[in-house]
Amino acid sequence: MQGELLAAIAGLVGLVTGVAAGLAFRISESGGPRPHEPQRRTELPAGIAEVLAALPSSAVVLDSADRVLRASSAARAYGIVRGDELVISDLLALARQVRRDGVIRETEIEVAVHKFGPDSTSFAVRVAPLGGTGLVLVLAEDQTERRRVEAVRRDFVANISHELKTPVGALSLLAETVADASDDPEAVRRFTGRMQQEAARLTSVIQDLITLSRIQGAEPMAEPDRISVESVVDEALDAVRMAADSKEIELVASGTEDATVLGDEGLLVTAMRNLVANAVAYSPERTRVSVTAEAVDDMVEISVADQGIGIPAQDLERIFERFYRVDAARSRATGGTGLGLAIVKHIMTHHRGEVTVWSKEGSGSTFTLRLPRAQTREPLSPGENTNQEAAQ
């Protein structure tokens, strides 16, 4: 009897143990992740994805395990993110610091962007926590263009100061010299001639600045006139013919007779004159400067080619900047202001066109203006259109 009782108690204990083990297994299965299964990724808070999509900056959201939950296309294009990893080690270290103490941090980094060339891209970075979720937001704004604009502005201020100070200083010095040499008529004539040259140079700089300020930032023309390319080229060649003759440079034009474009004749003459004057100034004696025009689809291409010294490859991207000179000493010797090509560029923008350049050192340069072609059915000008309608 006693043995049966002990057997019954042992069976009851086994049953309770089995039930308890089963309940424990169910509780562990429902209350926590299985050991062999990975943890689920943290989801973005509501509305964050929409905000990130509207940001112009490169945006990255990291979870508590430093994995990328969301990254903008710009962040991937610049190589900041690959897959679900933030590959910039400095940014990753900064994100971990922000996650630990919750303090917003800012810095600047340089990223080598092989996709766009050997140069690096500069980013202004801001890293901030997203509430108490353990998520970290990384914003990187490309400031390469802003830095370039600032550098151009600094160069412009320095250059304009130099360009104005040089002739003004020369005029002041020459005036004193003339006063001291008042009893020497030959010296007076020589120095006053120099004063006239410096005054003309100062006038050219001021006139080019006025022209540049007038067209820079101006909206494209709403009602351009039909302009004969031949008349524009002829006027530009006439303006530089004396300088060309002094160096025995031959000026040749071809293909301009039947070409017509839409634009402002005065501005187009200015652009063409600047290009031809540069070609003459930077060409050796007894060479040729040619101007050709050709219709390509709905555009007219006007090219100015010389046999001059050419432009180094590293300077081609900057020659249209204000006051930028490949050879400053030679430019001053030729009497240039350093604004001619900047004026050409802005005139082309004003005409919905463009200017391009091909050049090789020792082989000369070719500048090409691309302008909208005037169709035969288009009116020559608003006034002429009215006269045609009245005649009908």
Side-chain angles (χ1 to χ4, degrees):
M1 186 72 175
Q2 186 176 3
E4 293 177 355
L5 180 60
L6 290 174
I9 292 173
L12 182 60
V13 170
L15 177 63
V16 171
T17 302
V19 171
L23 289 174
F25 177 77
R26 288 200 190 99
I27 291 172
S28 64
E29 191 176 39
S30 61
R34 295 178 182 179
H36 63 276
E37 291 183 353
Q39 292 186 350
R40 291 179 296 176
R41 293 167 65 90
T42 306
E43 297 296 331
L44 286 176
I48 294 296
E50 289 77 6
V51 173
L52 295 180
L55 290 175
S57 307
S58 300
V60 181
V61 177
L62 300 176
D63 65 9
S64 57
D66 292 334
R67 292 175 299 184
V68 175
L69 283 182
R70 179 64 61 93
S72 64
S73 57
R76 297 186 183 278
Y78 282 116
I80 299 175
V81 171
R82 294 193 191 118
D84 63 350
E85 294 183 359
L86 183 66
V87 297
I88 309 299
S89 58
D90 292 343
L91 286 185
L92 189 58
L94 199 63
R96 289 170 178 169
Q97 291 180 7
V98 170
R99 186 185 294 111
R100 285 195 299 268
D101 56 26
V103 177
I104 298 175
R105 287 179 169 83
E106 296 180 352
T107 187
E108 293 185 0
I109 62 171
E110 299 285 336
V111 178
V113 186
H114 301 292
K115 181 177 179 181
F116 302 108
D119 295 336
S120 61
T121 301
S122 175
F123 289 95
V125 177
R126 184 179 180 87
V127 184
L130 285 178
T133 61
L135 303 181
V136 175
L137 173 63
V138 179
L139 294 177
E141 183 177 357
D142 181 5
Q143 56 181 0
T144 306
E145 180 63 19
R146 180 177 63 82
R147 285 188 171 184
R148 189 193 69 81
V149 172
E150 288 179 355
V152 171
R153 180 184 59 80
R154 288 194 300 269
D155 289 346
F156 173 75
V157 172
N159 287 328
I160 188 60
S161 300
H162 175 77
E163 293 297 332
L164 294 178
K165 182 174 65 176
T166 299
V168 169
L171 285 172
S172 176
L173 181 61
L174 288 169
E176 293 179 3
T177 306
V178 169
D180 294 337
S182 57
D183 56 347
D184 186 349
E186 181 60 29
V188 169
R189 282 193 297 269
R190 186 171 66 254
F191 291 132
T192 52
R194 287 284 308 280
M195 291 176 68
Q196 290 175 345
Q197 292 177 1
E198 295 296 335
R201 178 182 172 187
L202 184 60
T203 302
S204 296
V205 172
I206 295 173
Q207 185 59 51
D208 282 351
L209 283 172
I210 293 173
T211 301
L212 188 60
S213 64
R214 181 165 63 91
I215 62 175
Q216 187 175 8
E219 294 294 328
M221 289 179 293
E223 297 182 355
D225 297 328
R226 182 187 295 171
I227 307 299
S228 167
V229 173
E230 183 178 22
S231 65
V232 170
V233 172
D234 287 346
E235 187 170 346
L237 294 181
D238 288 341
V240 301
R241 197 171 300 279
M242 183 178 297
D245 291 342
S246 66
K247 299 175 67 174
E248 300 183 34
I249 292 177
E250 182 183 8
L251 301 178
V252 179
S254 62
T256 63
E257 296 82 3
D258 300 325
T260 54
V261 295
L262 296 175
D264 179 286
E265 185 170 6
L267 291 178
L268 292 180
V269 169
T270 298
M272 184 58 57
R273 183 176 63 243
N274 287 349
L275 291 182
V276 177
N278 275 358
V280 171
Y282 292 99
S283 293
E285 296 180 353
R286 292 180 291 279
T287 54
R288 171 183 293 187
V289 172
S290 60
V291 181
T292 59
E294 180 184 7
V296 180
D297 297 328
D298 57 346
M299 306 291 284
V300 172
E301 295 185 353
I302 310 171
S303 299
V304 178
D306 63 54
Q307 300 171 326
I309 59 176
I311 303 169
Q314 66 270 17
D315 294 308
L316 286 175
E317 293 184 358
R318 298 196 60 188
I319 58 174
F320 294 103
E321 295 177 8
R322 295 168 295 184
F323 291 114
Y324 184 80
R325 289 187 170 101
V326 176
D327 185 344
R330 183 181 177 90
S331 296
R332 279 190 284 273
T334 59
T337 64
L339 294 171
L341 291 180
I343 291 174
V344 172
K345 178 182 178 181
H346 287 291
I347 289 177
M348 288 301 100
T349 302
H350 188 57
H351 282 73
R352 303 181 190 273
E354 64 175 348
V355 55
T356 58
V357 58
W358 173 92
S359 186
K360 183 178 180 180
E361 287 187 276
S363 300
S365 305
T366 300
F367 288 83
T368 301
L369 307 180
R370 299 186 74 249
L371 292 159
R373 182 160 61 102
Q375 305 296 332
T376 55
R377 295 182 180 179
E378 293 178 351
L380 297 179
S381 66
E384 292 176 355
N385 185 41
T386 304
N387 295 336
Q388 291 176 358
E389 292 177 354
Q392 294 176 353

